[in-house]
Amino acid sequence: MPTRFQTTMLLVALFVRIAGAQTPDTTHPPVGATVSGVVRDSLARGPLAGATVELVAADSPGRFARTAVSDSLGRFTLTDVPAGRHKLGFFHPLLDSLGVDAPLREVYVADQRLVHADLAIPSPDRLRTAICGDRSGRHQNAVIVGTVRDAHDGSPAVGAMVSVEWAELSFRRNGVVARSTPRRVATTGDNGWFALCNVPNAGTIALIATRGADSTDVIEVEAPSKGFLRHELYLGASQTSGAIDEANASAVSGTSRSVRSGDGHISGIVTTEEDGRPLAEAQVSIPGGPQTRSNDRGEWTLVGAPAGTRMLEVRALGYYPERRRVDVVAGVPVVRVALSTLKAVLDTVRVRASRLNGDPGGFEARRRTGLGRYLTAMDIDRFRPVVLSDIFRTVPGVRLELDAGGVDKRISIRGAFGPCDPAIYLNGQPLTHIIGFSVVTLTADDLDTWVRPHDVTGIEIYTGETTPVEYQQGMSGCGSILIWTKLAR
């Protein structure tokens, strides 16, 4: 890594060159050598466009300098370079967000020969070591870096607190499964930069930034399998601050974290994954904020949206819901979402479940433990349900209620802090997607469409800590509902 002195000398050389620049003499052909190469982004594994490449004399940076900007393929060319030893480096906004300087490369030029010299952002391993030190011997050795900015003017957010949490299960000698939620916290510097070291390198984690009354939503991200992850976050006004603990309590209780409506807006298009056709009447919302529905062309616009980094939820009857991070800021591009049909998801479940035989998924074995609530085929017949959700109307601790839009039926169970959204499994495969503190679940109408009551042979209902380890998802702590059908036999 270059020293701050070396970086300063490169900047000095740049300013000296600009200050002493004169109109080039086009009557004389260039003298000296040509230095060319490619600037690469080691994180994205591709070329880095827009990098300012600087070459200066090694013995006296103020004596000579050449500058070029890399093109869309990362290529650069520096002409009329005199013989001698030189230092080659580059600047780019990505380096600022990573909190590092690019390493300098020594280049030796002789006569007018062409010199090829490539440059690159350091590899994830080198970045992790440079930022956090050598922790390669530890299991949790990933790092998350980024910049926190104000959502309205893009200025760096100084002194913002960035927190990350994840769920861990540990098995004790007495057979008890202990659940914990480790946390890492960092505070941004004068340039809004932060680094969170020693986070998991696999699984799902929950990330949030706060400063006073401003915050992001709880952002759900996959832990960096390669040990390095960069995230840009934008702060906007929120009614609650501080907030990863409050977000946890809200998710467990089944309520959305309260967010003020704002002056932001965001637009997008919803299509089908299968053939790309526009999907009308899809429900689009920012949890705790505004919601709308797509038109006949699949287009939608959320107005009065809270500014900042938020989670966007898109769902449609018969399709698997989608939940993703969006930045509600000026100039945000159109958000394109493609939904997979629920039938495609359930067909995959059926194929996998067809391999089971005997006691499907261990239903009878778990029933003997008495830790949850169990419904057999005989119990279900006594309910005489017309659709699957009719079964849950008479089960203690399970509720059917309309969602915030007053349209779709939602299944909830009694949690430690009130009603919450459970994880739902069909023949052992998850139909819900739980990330961090949030549950992206199917509605009761979805289940009624694809699962017929007379096909159901057993239902298991678990709350909180009674949920078997293999059917615990994420950090919601709510519980799970397991549905078994004849296809599992």
Side-chain angles (χ1 to χ4, degrees):
M1 299 290 291
T3 65
R4 290 293 175 187
F5 174 77
Q6 290 172 319
T7 303
T8 301
M9 292 303 292
L10 275 175
L11 290 173
V12 169
L14 176 60
F15 290 129
V16 168
R17 183 184 61 80
I18 294 174
Q22 297 180 354
T23 303
D25 183 1
T26 58
T27 61
H28 295 85
V31 295
T34 297
V35 177
S36 64
V38 176
V39 186
R40 302 186 184 280
D41 183 350
S42 300
L43 302 178
R45 295 186 177 183
L48 184 65
T52 301
V53 180
E54 184 82 7
L55 183 141
V56 299
D59 56 350
S60 179
R63 178 175 60 84
F64 166 80
R66 288 287 185 271
T67 304
V69 177
S70 63
D71 63 16
S72 60
L73 299 178
R75 299 172 300 189
F76 67 91
T77 301
L78 301 163
T79 60
D80 207 15
V81 179
R85 288 190 310 108
H86 304 276
K87 294 290 185 180
L88 184 66
F90 70 96
F91 307 96
H92 193 274
L94 179 57
L95 291 172
D96 297 332
S97 68
L98 294 174
V100 297
D101 296 321
L104 296 178
R105 176 172 180 174
E106 186 169 285
V107 175
Y108 181 76
V109 175
D111 302 325
Q112 294 184 340
R113 288 178 293 180
L114 177 65
V115 178
H116 186 87
D118 290 339
L119 300 170
I121 289 177
S123 67
D125 287 342
R126 292 184 60 186
L127 287 171
R128 185 176 67 247
T129 300
I131 295 170
C132 300
D134 186 7
R135 302 189 180 191
S136 57
R138 304 186 63 171
H139 176 65
Q140 295 173 344
N141 61 349
V143 58
I144 302 175
V145 302
T147 305
V148 182
R149 300 183 181 278
D150 184 276
H152 292 95
D153 59 16
S155 61
V158 182
M161 185 181 74
V162 185
S163 303
V164 61
E165 287 189 359
W166 63 93
E168 282 188 0
L169 299 176
S170 58
F171 298 86
R172 298 176 179 174
R173 292 182 179 179
N174 58 3
V176 175
V177 179
R179 184 186 184 91
S180 61
T181 310
R183 171 193 284 189
R184 300 286 181 266
V185 180
T187 302
T188 59
D190 293 340
N191 58 354
W193 186 80
F194 69 90
L196 293 160
C197 296
N198 197 28
V199 302
N201 55 15
T204 303
I205 55 180
L207 183 68
I208 186 173
T210 62
R211 186 180 65 172
D214 294 341
S215 74
T216 67
D217 281 351
V218 177
I219 306 304
E220 305 147 354
V221 298
E222 289 300 316
S225 59
K226 297 185 181 302
F228 192 90
L229 182 67
R230 183 176 65 90
H231 258 288
E232 302 300 302
L233 302 172
Y234 292 87
L235 291 176
S238 176
Q239 286 183 334
T240 54
S241 60
I244 204 162
D245 290 328
E246 297 171 14
N248 186 20
S250 296
V252 172
S253 66
T255 60
S256 299
R257 184 164 171 261
S258 179
V259 180
R260 290 196 189 109
S261 60
D263 55 0
H265 70 276
I266 187 170
S267 301
I269 298 175
V270 185
T271 62
T272 61
E273 178 71 33
E274 183 179 13
D275 53 16
R277 62 179 175 82
L279 190 58
E281 291 300 312
Q283 180 178 304
V284 184
S285 65
I286 292 178
Q291 59 181 292
T292 187
R293 288 187 179 272
S294 59
N295 61 21
D296 292 341
R297 296 183 298 276
E299 301 166 340
W300 56 267
T301 298
L302 280 175
V303 296
T309 301
R310 306 295 173 193
M311 292 303 298
L312 184 76
E313 190 169 289
V314 183
R315 58 173 66 238
L317 184 63
Y319 291 84
Y320 199 68
E322 171 82 6
R323 187 176 172 91
R324 65 169 62 179
R325 160 238 169 106
V326 293
D327 294 323
V328 183
V329 296
V332 62
V334 171
V335 179
R336 298 183 181 275
V337 178
L339 298 183
S340 299
T341 63
L342 184 57
K343 181 179 186 301
V345 176
L346 294 184
D347 282 346
T348 302
V349 172
R350 291 187 180 108
V351 169
R352 293 178 180 175
S354 65
R355 300 177 183 176
L356 299 174
N357 51 53
D359 180 15
F363 177 90
E364 293 298 337
R366 285 188 297 275
R367 184 185 177 194
R368 288 192 289 269
T369 67
L371 293 178
R373 185 177 297 275
Y374 302 85
L375 301 177
T376 66
M378 293 180 61
D379 297 326
I380 295 169
D381 287 340
R382 283 198 294 269
F383 292 140
R384 297 186 180 280
V386 177
V387 292
L388 180 66
S389 61
D390 288 342
I391 298 172
F392 299 112
R393 297 183 187 278
T394 57
V395 178
V398 181
R399 297 171 55 182
L400 284 179
E401 54 190 9
L402 294 178
D403 64 3
V407 178
D408 298 320
K409 288 185 298 183
R410 168 174 163 258
I411 300 174
S412 65
I413 63 177
R414 185 186 302 124
F417 299 93
C420 56
D421 296 328
I424 299 178
Y425 290 78
L426 178 62
N427 295 334
Q429 299 299 320
L431 293 183
T432 51
H433 191 31
I434 299 185
I435 307 180
F437 299 108
S438 303
V439 181
V440 181
T441 186
L442 303 177
T443 65
D445 294 323
D446 291 328
L447 290 175
D448 290 343
T449 301
W450 298 106
V451 183
R452 296 175 297 183
H454 68 267
D455 287 334
V456 178
T457 59
I459 296 177
E460 306 173 48
I461 302 170
Y462 300 96
T463 58
E465 298 301 325
T466 67
T467 307
V469 174
E470 63 269 32
Y471 296 113
Q472 290 185 3
Q473 290 191 51
M475 293 181 280
S476 69
C478 181
S480 300
I481 295 178
L482 280 61
I483 302 170
W484 302 95
T485 71
K486 299 172 183 177
L487 294 169
R489 293 190 178 278

